[in-house]
Amino acid sequence: MSAAVTAPPCHSRPSPLNPNSRATPSPSSNGKPNAVSTTRRHLANLDRLLVKSPPLPLPLPPQHRKLPVTEVPRDGEATPDDRSGHGGLLNALNLSTFLPFTRKAAVDEMSPRSLAYMQRLLTLSPRLSPKGSIAAEWRRYHGEGGWEGLLDPLDHNLRRELLRYGDFVQAAYTAFHSMPSAAEAASNDHHHTLVLPDRSYRPTRSLFASSSLSIPPWAQRRSAPNWLTQRTSFVGYVAVCDSEREVRRMGRRDIAIVLRGTATCPEWAENLRASLVPLTADDDASSAPKVAKGFLSLYKTPGDHVPSLSADIVDEVKRLMEVYKGEELSITIVGHSLGASLALLAADELSACLAADTDGTTDHRPPPPIAVVSFGGPKTGNRAFAERLQRERGVNVLRVVNAGDVVTRVPAPIASEGYVHTGGAELRLHNSDSPCLRPDAGPACCHDLEAYLHLLDGFAGSGRPFRHDASRSVARLLTYQRPNVKRAYVERARMLGFEPASPRTATATGAAADGQYGYLASPT
C-alpha cells in the first residue's frame, strides 16, 4: 500500500517535468544549480505532481522494479542501459531518494497513483485554450508595437497563444498524413474531418499547394506511395474562432490560416529553386520585391482540380469577413518551415487585397490587422520584399527561432541574390535551456516543431532557467526525438510503462515528423 500524500494547493502545483518552484537548488560555484541537482529536482518533481489520481485507474505493470538508491548522473552523461535493477541509471531514479516520507528501510515501489498519473502525462491530449483575458490589449498581443515588452521575459498569455497556434500547425501535419492524397482530401471535404486541438476554432476550408514541377516517371519508385510524388497536396486550412466566450476573452474574432512544412517530393524540388523572382511578371526592376522562385510557384500554381493556394486563401478570408461583417476581426497566419514562407506570401497578398477592397466603400473601418507567426522559417525574399511587408503592408511578423536550426539560416547569404529575413520581432530559443533535451541534439531535433513547442513552453526569458511550471506533454518528444532526449527521462518513461510508438505508427495516429525533417536536405 502506498503512503498517503497530501496534495499541495492548486496554485502552487509543480510541473510534471520541471523542478518545484519551492525547492532550493544546490548552488554551484557561480550561484546557479549544477547539473546533478537540476536532474535530481526535475525527476523528483514527477512524483510530486502525482497526488491527484486520474478519473480512470490504469493497470499496473505486471512486476514492480525495486531500485536501490544511487547517484544521479550528470545531464547528458552516458550511462549503461541497465534494466535489471542492479546498478546503473534506473537505480538512481528511485523516488524514495527525493520523497523521504515514502522511503522504506531497504527498497521502495512506485505507487499505482504515481504510475497512473504519469501515464496521463504521457498522452497526446490537446492543450486547453488559454484562460487569461487579453481583450483589453489584444492588438498588442497580435503584434501592434512589435510585441515590445512581451517577448523577454516572455509574457505568459503570449506564450499560451503561441503554443495554441503551434498546435494548429501540428494538426495540419496530422491531417495531411491521415489523408495524404490530394484527390481524396478534396473529394471528402477534408476540413470536416480535421480535429483541432482547440475546439474554440472551427475549420472552414482546406488549403492545397500545387507545384509547377512533376516527378518524371524514371525517378518514381514503384514501392513509393502515390502521395509522395503528387503535384498537389493538402498543405493547411483556414479556421475561425467560433466560440463567443473565446471571442470575448480575446477581444476579437480571430481568423487563422495554418500551413505545414515540406512533405512531398515536388515540394522538396521547389525548395531547391532558390533564385529570386519578382512577385509580379510586370515588375522586373532590380529594386522590386522578390521572393524564392520555388515558394512563389507553390503559392501561385493551381492544381488540376483545385485553385491555387493564393486564390483559396484570399477567397476564404473575404468570405469570412462578409459573414462576420461589423465585428472586430484579426487575421493570424501561422506556419512551420516551408509553411512559414508561404505565410509571408499570403500576408503580403492579403494585406494588399483587403486594403483595396475597403478603399472607396462607405464602411470606413480599416481592414483587420494581419500577423504572421513563423516557426523555423527560412529566408523568403529580398530586402525590398521584407521592407514592403513591414512598412507598406503593416504586417506584424514574429519569428520563433531555435538557435541551432540550420533551416532559419538558408538560403545562404549570397551577394547577388540578397536574401534577408523579414523584419519584425524574433523570439530565440535554445536547446540547451531544456532539462529534457540533450545538449548535443542534432539538426533534426533543432528543426522539429514539437521541439520548438517544448522549448517555447519552458522559455521564461534570456538567461533564465527553464520554467518551473512548464507542463507540456513529452510524448511526441519521446516518439520522434528519443535519441535527443536525456537518458534519465527516457528511462523514467520506460519504467512507467510508456514505450514510444514508432514514427510510422505515430504519423498515422497524429504526429507528423516527415514534413518537419524534410528540409534538412534542401535549402529550406
Side-chain angles (χ1 to χ4, degrees), residues 15-96:
S15 161
L17 290 178
N18 296 282
N20 191 307
S21 59
R22 294 172 293 174
T24 303
S26 301
S28 63
S29 59
N30 60 2
K32 297 182 179 180
N34 59 35
V36 173
S37 66
T38 298
T39 300
R40 183 178 288 120
R41 291 170 63 216
H42 283 246
L43 293 173
N45 201 58
L46 285 171
D47 236 34
R48 291 196 183 101
L49 185 69
L50 308 184
V51 296
K52 181 180 178 182
S53 58
L56 294 176
L58 300 177
L60 284 172
Q63 181 178 357
H64 297 286
R65 292 195 177 98
K66 298 183 178 181
L67 308 175
V69 179
T70 61
E71 177 65 15
V72 177
R74 295 183 180 273
D75 291 347
E77 180 178 323
T79 58
D81 186 7
D82 184 0
R83 305 183 190 179
S84 65
H86 303 289
L89 180 61
L90 281 181
N91 299 341
L93 301 183
N94 189 359
L95 295 175
S96 63

Side-chain angles (χ1 to χ4, degrees), residues 81-163:
D81 186 7
D82 184 0
R83 305 183 190 179
S84 65
H86 303 289
L89 180 61
L90 281 181
N91 299 341
L93 301 183
N94 189 359
L95 295 175
S96 63
T97 306
F98 311 105
L99 301 178
F101 54 83
T102 63
R103 187 179 303 166
K104 298 180 182 179
V107 296
D108 193 23
E109 295 179 347
M110 289 200 67
S111 69
R113 177 174 295 180
S114 298
L115 288 164
Y117 196 92
M118 185 59 184
Q119 296 230 13
R120 287 184 59 196
L121 176 67
L122 294 170
T123 64
L124 296 175
S125 57
R127 292 183 60 82
L128 299 176
S129 172
K131 299 300 182 184
S133 175
I134 58 173
E137 294 186 286
W138 76 263
R139 291 184 179 273
R140 185 173 174 227
Y141 281 98
H142 198 251
E144 188 177 80
W147 290 278
E148 184 176 0
L150 297 176
L151 297 176
D152 197 2
L154 183 58
D155 181 87
H156 69 280
N157 283 320
L158 178 59
R159 179 189 296 108
R160 290 171 177 171
E161 296 289 319
L162 296 177
L163 286 171

